[in-house]
Amino acid sequence: EPDPIEVGPMLDFVGTTEIHKLILLAEPEVVESLRPEADMEFSSSASLTVAIPGMLEILPLGASKGQGVSWLLNHMKIDAANTIAFGDGENDIELLELAGVGVAMDNAQAKLKAVADFISTSNDDDGVARAVEILVLESRRQTART
């Protein structure tokens, strides 16, 4: 993630600048304590997610990686059932739910692991490569043998 830039009072920007995404950074415990109130405050106007502990993202309502990839798949006429997606954060939930196979890294947040079809090793331990080896390459080798 890029280094945060202090912009000063947000009210100076409201109504004068189009805002596509807000990222609130704080100690993880602070973000966790603010989350329930933020969820209630923004439930009808924005989507909230946590990519990494201590970083609360406020996005346009309905915006997610899953929504973006769904648009792309429709545009390219690809069935989501024929895809595999990888993730490690809460912001990957919709993406893994969309994909034919959703893979969470071992270091993923519990919310993501709960929706994953497969849990691989951590991203620091080549989790994506390991999942591809098991889910794609081994499957192809077995098909070739028959």
Side-chain angles (χ1 to χ4, degrees):
E1 293 295 324
D3 290 332
I5 300 171
E6 186 174 333
V7 295
M10 289 300 299
L11 290 178
D12 292 349
F13 295 95
V14 174
T16 63
T17 303
E18 189 172 4
I19 299 172
H20 298 279
K21 178 180 187 177
L22 290 175
I23 298 178
L24 307 176
L25 299 171
E27 293 299 319
E29 313 79 57
V30 173
V31 170
E32 289 171 24
S33 70
L34 293 173
R35 179 71 184 267
E37 186 176 343
D39 279 334
M40 287 188 345
E41 180 68 30
F42 294 109
S43 66
S44 64
S45 60
S47 295
L48 278 68
T49 191
V50 174
I52 58 174
M55 186 173 88
L56 179 64
E57 296 182 44
I58 304 173
L59 307 161
L61 189 62
S64 70
K65 289 181 183 183
Q67 188 273 336
V69 170
S70 177
W71 179 90
L72 181 62
L73 292 173
N74 287 332
H75 179 74
M76 297 180 72
K77 297 178 178 31
I78 297 172
D79 186 346
N82 296 324
T83 65
I84 185 170
F86 305 89
D88 64 355
E90 178 186 327
N91 62 336
D92 297 314
I93 289 174
E94 291 86 356
L95 178 62
L96 266 63
E97 289 175 332
L98 170 71
V101 177
V103 179
M105 302 298 101
D106 190 50
N107 58 296
Q109 297 172 9
K111 286 181 179 181
L112 186 67
K113 286 181 176 180
V115 302
D117 300 302
F118 182 83
I119 298 174
S120 189
T121 55
S122 77
N123 54 357
D124 290 331
D125 293 319
D126 302 321
V128 172
R130 182 74 179 127
V132 169
E133 176 70 30
I134 293 169
L135 299 171
V136 179
L137 300 178
E138 285 183 15
S139 174
R140 287 186 175 187
R141 283 193 279 266
Q142 288 175 0
T143 302
R145 289 183 203 143
T146 57

